[in-house]
Amino acid sequence: MLLTPGPTALPPSVREAMSDELINPDVDPAFAHRYDALLDKLATAFGTDDEMVVMGGEGLLGLEAAIASTVAPGDRVLCLSNGPYGDGFADFVERYGGEPTLVDADYDDPLPVEELERTLAADAFDVATMVHCETPTGTLNDLDPALDLLTDHGVLTVVDAVSSLGGTPVPTDRIDICLGASQKCFSAPPGLAICSVSDAAWERIEARDPDSLYTNLLPWHDAEQPYPYTHLTTLVVALDEALDLLLAEGLDSVYDRHSEAAAVCRERGAALGLAPFPDLERSSPTVTAFAVPGHATDLQERLRADHDVTLATGFGDLADDVLRVGHMGYNADVDNVERAMDALAAEL
């Protein structure tokens, strides 16, 4: 049983959709019609009227493309961070010649909004980046206070919501570029980077006129040719089926299912003496990170070998200190969580 915070297990109908006869996306009108319908479904799932883009590549492509498309050499970018992906935005900014200012906090602390306010009062910035759900630590950030400040200062916002979209509400309508991916809460295979792009973001991208193709959002902003290269047909069909399942269930029901699975996971963990890595108020409904200092890798190996249950460990310095249960998408299921926690109890 795969219970990782992405890629998730796939629903049977999504696996079946991937075996459909291949459609040539460059010449067959059937693909164009299905793709247009997919964009409408994604807009509903994102909760936005902004233009949607579906790029052929893992979710990290979307993060890089957002920076490559909006940041010119010398641009000042504020990177608000309390986790590995928030820190990573600063690396992208440097690679594209921008000047990042990292306003950061420890990985088990909230976003440093007061420091953000002081920084904005002292300096001007073109773009700001942040992360909604820091998957490596299981932290769900409250973005509204930061978005209030950034909007007041006229700063374009880029948000990584890869592991929260489709599992918990995201304030997409307040974000200029909101980034998602196929393999998390949507429960489709990895390989598609998804984003919504506001009118203000398109204006900035057009003025920037990036010179790359694959990490450039601008070629997707073309009504006559909505995808600039041969699309990943099978993955598009799989995502389309996954979205049908999500929207048929209803977003509110989907969010409730994630919250219920998360609550069961944490109750079982507390009974075993396990503490969540961030406090419960800031733990994401899509993933639970338990603090198991020095034991995460061993527990992961034993769970997989003895119980056929695959969980995830942490990243970097937390690689052996955090064990993560991914109750997102198709895996946001109480029975699956109970099985995983039974196995963890046996090993502990």
Side-chain angles (χ1 to χ4, degrees), residues 16-40:
E16 291 168 7
M18 296 177 68
S19 67
D20 288 351
E21 185 176 354
L22 186 68
I23 307 172
N24 187 318
D26 300 319
V27 300
D28 194 332
F31 181 82
H33 294 321
R34 189 160 191 174
Y35 186 75
D36 287 343
L38 172 72
L39 296 182
D40 290 340

Side-chain angles (χ1 to χ4, degrees), residues 113-241:
V113 176
E114 291 183 0
E115 185 179 351
L116 169 65
E117 186 172 15
R118 290 192 296 270
T119 303
L120 287 170
D123 293 298
F125 295 90
D126 302 293
V127 178
T129 66
M130 66 191 91
V131 177
H132 190 211
C133 175
E134 276 283 2
T135 328
T137 61
T139 300
L140 187 73
N141 287 315
D142 179 7
L143 300 183
D144 284 324
L147 290 171
D148 288 342
L149 290 168
L150 294 165
T151 300
D152 289 344
H153 285 79
V155 181
L156 195 85
T157 52
V158 175
V159 171
D160 170 0
V162 168
S163 57
S164 54
L165 280 161
T168 192
V170 179
T172 313
D173 58 345
R174 306 191 62 202
I175 298 166
D176 290 300
I177 300 181
C178 186
L179 300 157
S182 54
Q183 79 274 17
K184 300 283 187 175
C185 300
F186 295 137
S187 287
L192 296 176
I194 309 161
C195 62
S196 61
V197 186
S198 72
D199 291 342
W202 284 125
E203 289 176 9
R204 181 173 183 83
I205 294 167
E206 288 170 344
R208 162 90 170 89
D209 193 19
D211 55 10
S212 65
L213 173 64
Y214 216 75
T215 57
N216 184 355
L217 292 174
L218 192 56
W220 298 86
H221 190 47
D222 185 341
E224 295 183 3
Q225 181 57 45
Y227 36 93
Y229 46 76
T230 300
H231 221 311
L232 282 63
T233 313
T234 300
L235 297 181
V236 168
V237 169
L239 177 60
D240 188 43
E241 173 61 25

Side-chain angles (χ1 to χ4, degrees), residues 258-301:
H258 281 76
S259 295
E260 183 182 8
V264 169
C265 185
R266 288 153 197 171
E267 288 168 4
R268 291 289 309 273
L272 295 173
L274 296 174
F277 182 77
D279 60 57
L280 288 176
E281 290 185 0
R282 294 185 297 108
S283 292
S284 173
T286 62
V287 54
T288 294
F290 289 117
V292 289
H295 297 288
T297 303
D298 181 52
L299 281 169
Q300 181 193 49
E301 292 173 353

Side-chain angles (χ1 to χ4, degrees), residues 268-334:
R268 291 289 309 273
L272 295 173
L274 296 174
F277 182 77
D279 60 57
L280 288 176
E281 290 185 0
R282 294 185 297 108
S283 292
S284 173
T286 62
V287 54
T288 294
F290 289 117
V292 289
H295 297 288
T297 303
D298 181 52
L299 281 169
Q300 181 193 49
E301 292 173 353
R302 288 160 55 188
L303 287 165
R304 185 166 48 223
D306 298 343
H307 304 275
D308 197 25
V309 171
T310 300
L311 304 184
T313 60
F315 284 8
D317 293 341
L318 297 175
D320 201 30
D321 296 332
V322 170
L323 187 70
R324 297 182 293 147
V325 183
H327 34 73
M328 60 172 57
Y330 187 57
N331 284 342
D333 177 90
V334 169

Side-chain angles (χ1 to χ4, degrees), residues 90-108:
D91 296 332
F92 281 135
V93 171
E94 286 186 342
R95 286 179 178 271
Y96 286 92
E99 298 178 4
T101 295
L102 187 63
V103 177
D104 60 345
D106 290 340
Y107 286 3
D108 55 352

